[in-house]
Amino acid sequence: MLLREGLIGVLGRFGHETVAAVGDADALRDAVSAYEPDIVVTDVRMPPGFQDEGLRAAVALRAERPRLPVLVLSQYVQRSYAAELLDTGDGTGVGYLLKDRVGQVEQFVEGLVSVAEGGTVVDPEVVRQLLRRRRDPLEKLTPREREVLALVAEGKSNAAVAGELVVSEAAVGKHIGNILGKLDLPPADGTHRRVLAVLAYLRG
Amino acid sequence: MPPQPIWTELQQRRYLKSSAPWRGCTYLLGGALLGAATLVVGLALTAVGAALTLVLIGIPLLTALPLTGIPLAALERRRMLLVDPTPAPTPHRTPEAPGIPAWCRLRLREQATWRELAYAVLFALVLWPLDLLVLACTVAFPVLLVAAPAHLAAAGGPGNDIRPAKLWLVDAYPAACATALLGLVLLLLLAHPLGAYSAARAAFARLLLAPRDAELAAGLAEVTRSRARLVDAFEAERRRIERDLHDGAQQRLVALTMSLGLARLDADPDSPLARQLAAAHDEAGRVLTELRELIRGIHPQVLADYGLSAAIEDVADRCALPVETAGVRLPRLPETVESAGYFAVREALANVGKHSGATRVHLTAAHTEGRLRIVVRDDGRGGADPARGTGLTGLADRLAVLDGTLAVTSPPGGPTILSVEIPCEAETEAEAEMEAGA
């Protein structure tokens, strides 16, 4: 409730309009039919059961409308939730973020816009967990390449990665080429395709 | 030396010097007095009940009559300790609801109540006269003979006739002393039958009044059930706390960080206000992170949503060491089992991280033949002692409630293998590839 009010405030501050704010999964479904929004933002937990109704609703919505961008906020990072979301549609126009991230209002709205435009945004925490898991093949990568990989998996563009690591965009491109080669991933164009390839690799 | 059962003492040479004959004598004397009293009270109650039946008040009184064996039996169980100090606990169960009606209903249904009543009837009609008879033969009669000289003196000295125990005439001290000697010999000889009778008598009472195996088992089952209820209550409480924190404090904190984030946007970037806002914002973020970890420790949401497989993968993800899980594929199990399994894995991995010096951990979990089996094996230095530290003991207690077991083998030099087994039935079929990341 409190969170919803806050979110509407944040979105309004950045010039986005909230067409409907609802309290449970059924109301969410009705609101989507009524307003055809550009993006749906939902919490994993929702009334009445406070289990994972929000996630279930998001997955159901994506099954009906694979093109509908959905951003799911979670109390804490859970790979299973992220995996289930990324498996909806073709994995584009999906976001899975830790609820804490909404406090970083600018980055949060950036991510939200990216999802609305068909991007894939996964919380850095998920990426960190995935990286920790797939230790063996990742040992082939240099530390720098691993850093690049983490940022790519978060959905950052080459330019953004370059900015973060303070290197040239060309250097980033070269790192990415090396990474994809070492991990036997097909070279992909478009940021979110690449993100998906990397995430698929990390999950598999 | 604590008192031995009379039966044991009887078989030893020092029987006559031990306390056993005295105890047997006391037991029988008490039995005779108590039995006579029981007869009087029982007859009185029956008579009053029967008389009052005419005015209907007697009917509940007569219904309550079977229960009169209960206090007598309690007393008898204490008395039999004189003969054999082996404890005789009550065979009755504790009523589940308070109040006299619940108590009466339970007691009237218990077999023990009716055994006790049978004992009371036997006691009042047969046993106490028998106790008295044995006492008379083995104690009173020889004592009367022993008392012959005193008897003679009291009767006025030699020349007067006395008849000790109404048997023969004695009128002089030599004869009286011979009689006393005979009495003494008889007293010592009869001490053995006295002991034997009191031992048999107490054994018979024990047979009827002590709990049977089934009643002991019922008591044990009740204890186990109450422990299980306790664990369930703890579990429910953890979940409630987790929900309260999630719905309350956490939401407010997120809202707070949002407000602070917005405030930062509005503040002049170079002003002291912006710096203070930034510090407050960061601090709120750190509190949020801490709170998130705290909530996860209380009760992980993933356990409720996806079950033990995903929860185990999740703990493995968070472990500082690489954990090989080889893909856990468990069906959904009862909530208490999933929870116990989860905390077992968490505790095991925490211990590995803290103490073992291991570099790798191998974890397997499977549900086969109605048992959940979890094995955590590390390549550390071993020497883990389950008795040290409360973590593993707490874990074992938690598993014991579910009839589960915890085994730790940890020879010096390693490896340490911790295995957990819990009998349980699956609530769903084993999931298919539910989680691509597993």
Side-chain angles (χ1 to χ4, degrees):
Chain A
M1 199 50 197
L2 204 58
L3 192 65
R4 210 156 69 204
E5 299 304 317
L7 263 181
I8 294 171
V10 166
L11 291 175
R13 173 72 174 65
F14 286 86
H16 301 290
E17 190 198 350
T18 308
V19 289
V22 295
D24 62 61
D26 289 335
L28 174 64
R29 202 162 306 133
D30 295 343
V32 167
S33 310
Y35 295 99
E36 299 287 342
D38 296 331
I39 185 166
V40 170
V41 180
T42 174
D43 193 338
V44 169
R45 288 222 253 189
M46 252 193 202
F50 291 100
Q51 295 283 305
D52 54 356
E53 291 89 344
L55 181 78
R56 297 271 83 85
V59 170
L61 278 176
R62 291 274 297 170
E64 273 172 43
R65 309 154 187 261
R67 301 259 132 240
L68 175 71
V70 173
L71 175 61
V72 174
L73 299 177
S74 179
Q75 178 200 354
Y76 55 78
V77 157
Q78 176 54 49
R79 273 196 297 123
S80 324
Y81 299 153
E84 222 175 308
L85 265 181
L86 286 170
D87 288 340
T88 61
D90 57 357
T92 59
V94 192
Y96 176 81
L97 285 177
L98 214 51
K99 213 185 276 175
D100 304 11
R101 309 289 178 217
V102 300
Q104 308 289 334
V105 284
E106 273 172 300
Q107 287 100 309
F108 172 70
V109 173
E110 231 170 75
L112 183 113
V113 170
S114 153
V115 172
E117 288 168 354
T120 306
V121 173
V122 174
D123 200 278
E125 196 58 35
V126 178
V127 176
R128 205 164 307 149
Q129 278 189 28
L130 291 172
L131 281 176
R132 210 173 338 175
R133 257 194 110 58
R134 298 295 305 249
R135 216 170 291 233
D136 299 341
L138 295 180
E139 271 163 20
K140 291 187 281 188
L141 303 184
T142 65
R144 178 58 106 183
E145 284 167 354
R146 252 174 280 168
E147 274 178 301
V148 173
L149 177 67
L151 292 170
V152 167
E154 282 165 30
K156 297 231 159 51
S157 67
N158 284 13
V161 174
E164 191 110 353
L165 298 178
V166 205
V167 293
S168 72
E169 242 187 282
V172 171
K174 216 179 94 203
H175 282 311
I176 290 175
N178 288 345
I179 295 167
L180 295 178
K182 283 184 186 176
L183 301 182
D184 290 330
L185 289 175
D189 42 282
T191 310
H192 68 253
R193 295 271 166 219
R194 203 175 61 207
V195 173
L196 286 176
V198 170
L199 284 174
Y201 168 75
L202 288 175
R203 282 163 55 202
Chain B
M1 188 171 151
Q4 298 288 311
I6 289 183
W7 191 248
T8 316
E9 297 275 20
L10 266 176
Q11 295 156 19
Q12 290 169 3
R13 300 178 69 90
R14 59 181 172 81
Y15 168 68
L16 288 176
K17 283 187 279 178
S18 74
S19 65
W22 298 101
R23 287 188 280 134
C25 187
T26 316
Y27 179 68
L28 294 186
L29 191 62
L33 294 176
L34 188 60
T38 306
L39 180 63
V40 171
V41 172
L43 283 178
L45 279 179
T46 316
V48 170
L52 289 180
T53 308
L54 298 175
V55 286
L56 293 179
I57 319 168
I59 293 175
L61 214 61
L62 283 181
T63 324
L65 210 56
L67 300 176
T68 51
I70 295 171
L72 175 71
L75 202 56
E76 281 297 280
R77 273 191 295 271
R78 284 175 154 267
R79 275 195 342 108
M80 68 174 76
L81 300 184
L82 261 177
V83 177
D84 180 353
T86 315
T90 171
H92 295 292
R93 282 187 286 141
T94 313
E96 283 176 10
I100 293 176
W103 184 85
C104 286
R105 272 197 304 278
L106 176 66
R107 288 293 173 265
L108 287 173
R109 278 203 313 269
E110 284 178 320
Q111 204 208 11
T113 307
W114 300 95
R115 288 205 310 270
E116 288 173 346
L117 181 66
Y119 178 84
V121 171
L122 270 179
F123 188 45
L125 299 181
V126 182
L127 294 178
W128 79 263
L130 210 56
D131 289 354
L132 197 60
L133 184 67
V134 171
L135 264 183
C137 294
T138 60
V139 181
F141 169 62
V143 164
L144 278 178
L145 296 188
V146 169
H151 194 175
L152 186 61
N160 293 295
D161 292 349
I162 57 161
R163 245 177 223 279
K166 313 263 182 253
L167 286 179
W168 53 78
L169 269 175
V170 171
D171 59 359
Y173 278 117
C177 287
T179 307
L181 198 65
L182 177 69
L184 202 60
V185 170
L186 274 178
L187 193 61
L188 294 180
L189 281 179
L190 290 174
H192 280 87
L194 169 78
Y197 172 76
S198 58
R201 170 73 174 72
F204 177 69
R206 192 176 282 270
L207 185 73
L208 282 179
L209 302 183
R212 304 267 160 104
D213 284 350
E215 282 156 355
L216 284 176
L220 206 60
E222 176 51 37
V223 170
T224 313
R225 270 199 300 280
S226 90
R227 283 209 329 189
R229 278 199 297 275
L230 208 58
V231 167
D232 282 351
F234 273 129
E235 204 57 47
E237 190 65 359
R238 291 176 89 102
R239 226 162 301 151
R240 190 188 64 73
I241 294 171
E242 188 258 357
R243 180 158 307 170
D244 285 355
L245 282 175
H246 173 261
D247 297 341
Q250 202 185 29
Q251 305 288 354
R252 280 168 196 284
L253 265 173
V254 172
L256 174 68
T257 58
M258 268 194 292
S259 305
L260 286 170
L262 283 177
R264 281 178 78 177
L265 290 180
D266 292 334
D268 178 6
D270 296 322
S271 66
L273 175 65
R275 277 200 300 281
Q276 280 173 11
L277 276 176
H281 194 200
D282 292 348
E283 188 57 30
R286 274 193 292 277
V287 172
L288 205 49
T289 309
E290 254 174 54
L291 184 65
R292 192 173 59 225
E293 287 309 310
L294 181 71
I295 291 177
R296 164 184 296 275
I298 293 171
H299 184 86
Q301 185 62 26
V302 59
L303 195 58
D305 294 347
Y306 287 99
L308 189 54
S309 308
I312 287 180
E313 297 282 351
D314 184 59
V315 195
D317 279 355
R318 267 153 223 289
C319 185
L321 294 164
V323 182
E324 295 157 22
T325 55
V328 179
R329 294 277 174 280
L330 295 171
R332 286 310 293 261
L333 302 168
E335 213 169 88
T336 45
V337 173
E338 290 196 330
S339 182
Y342 170 81
F343 283 104
V345 169
R346 212 177 66 173
E347 184 66 32
L349 289 182
N351 281 340
V352 172
K354 263 186 273 178
H355 308 301
S356 72
T359 58
R360 297 198 92 78
V361 186
H362 190 78
L363 189 153
T364 56
H367 184 262
T368 47
E369 293 159 12
R371 295 183 86 78
L372 168 69
R373 271 193 199 82
I374 302 175
V375 179
V376 180
R377 181 197 171 102
D378 68 51
D379 63 353
R381 65 178 85 91
D385 181 4
R388 224 180 38 212
T390 53
L392 284 179
T393 351
L395 200 56
D397 288 348
R398 208 185 167 110
L399 293 169
V401 175
L402 301 166
D403 284 330
T405 53
L406 169 75
V408 181
T409 63
S410 186
T416 299
I417 300 170
L418 179 144
S419 57
V420 168
E421 282 198 32
I422 308 173
C424 58
E425 292 307 319
E427 300 204 325
T428 61
E429 292 299 304
E431 297 139 85
E433 185 93 359
M434 172 203 76
E435 193 194 353

